[in-house]
Amino acid sequence: MERRGRGAKPAPGPAPQPPPPPPRRDRKPSMFEREAYTQILKERLRDSIHDVQYVEPPFDDSIADLGKEWKSALAKLKFANSYRMEPLKKFQAHSVETKVQQILTENLKDVKYDDQVFCRLSLDLADRILSAVKEFGYHRYKFIIKVLFIQKTGQAIHIASRWIWDVTWDSWVAAKHETETYVALALVFALFCE
């Protein structure tokens, strides 16, 4: 009979078994392997509305060299600080307003109201206005372009925008083109980035 009490050692029993090792995970495929490239794209686009039918891998036999090229192409350029707190050329609202008005008039002179056409046309006009404003050469300015089409049905409309900006350097421009069936309004916001 064994004796139990203080200081007594418990009787030796069977040794506890170590827990089983976790199951081994499969290695994720590398994007530089030919077979895995399409699979990786499908996994990344799984939750989106896109459907990947076929992807032509953009590389040849030198896969390792291509990875180095991609990294160097994606590297961000670093510039020295200019310590400049004001723009070289201040945003001139009057000249930009004239140019935006001219773009609206040229592109909308024979257009009738159609909501399907205006979905595409608003994006096209915004791109044209943005490229025209960039031609003025306002360095270190960010531009926000809004193009609105409002059908005339006897209603009143109020459009408001609210921004936190520097009143010294930031500005905005509005241009309007009105016909019998709609009003087109283009807003250009110029924000100086220090």
Side-chain angles (χ1 to χ4, degrees):
M1 185 162 151
E2 44 180 80
R3 195 174 142 168
R4 294 188 184 198
R6 285 189 190 171
K9 294 182 181 177
Q17 294 293 329
R24 191 172 180 164
R25 293 183 187 168
D26 290 335
R27 178 179 69 84
K28 287 186 176 181
S30 170
M31 67 183 288
F32 297 109
E33 295 174 4
R34 290 179 190 256
E35 299 81 26
Y37 189 73
T38 305
Q39 178 186 353
I40 291 171
L41 282 179
K42 284 183 180 179
E43 288 176 7
R44 289 184 180 169
L45 299 174
R46 182 177 3 160
D47 297 332
S48 69
I49 60 171
H50 303 292
D51 187 23
V52 178
Q53 299 295 331
Y54 174 73
V55 176
E56 180 72 30
F59 42 74
D60 55 1
D61 294 332
S62 60
I63 296 171
D65 295 337
L66 185 67
K68 293 175 187 173
E69 290 175 16
W70 281 5
K71 285 183 180 178
S72 64
L74 296 176
K76 231 179 179 179
L77 294 175
K78 294 185 179 180
F79 296 102
N81 194 346
S82 66
Y83 300 103
R84 190 166 188 87
M85 300 299 284
E86 71 265 351
L88 295 171
K89 179 173 153 184
K90 190 175 177 181
F91 183 76
Q92 302 293 324
H94 179 68
S95 58
V96 172
E97 183 179 0
T98 306
K99 185 66 175 177
V100 172
Q101 186 67 48
Q102 178 185 359
I103 291 172
L104 286 179
T105 307
E106 288 175 1
N107 291 297
L108 300 174
K109 59 184 167 188
D110 296 326
V111 178
K112 299 290 181 195
Y113 184 83
D114 183 12
D115 55 352
Q116 299 299 324
V117 173
F118 284 162
C119 290
R120 221 174 345 98
L121 190 59
S122 63
L123 294 174
D124 185 42
L125 281 173
D127 289 339
R128 288 181 189 184
I129 292 170
L130 180 61
S131 62
V133 171
K134 284 185 176 182
E135 287 176 3
F136 283 100
Y138 298 116
H139 297 289
R140 299 179 75 175
Y141 271 95
K142 302 276 185 188
F143 300 104
I144 300 170
I145 313 293
K146 290 175 76 173
V147 178
L148 305 167
F149 288 100
I150 304 142
Q151 184 180 14
K152 284 186 176 179
T153 56
Q155 81 280 14
I157 186 165
H158 292 282
I159 297 172
S161 297
R162 192 169 192 173
W163 305 89
I164 297 176
W165 66 12
D166 182 4
V167 294
T168 310
W169 308 117
D170 300 341
S171 186
W172 67 281
V173 168
K176 182 172 78 168
H177 178 77
E178 190 168 351
T179 65
E180 300 157 356
T181 56
Y182 66 90
V183 175
L185 181 66
L187 301 170
V188 178
F189 298 97
L191 308 170
F192 179 69
C193 296
E194 294 176 357

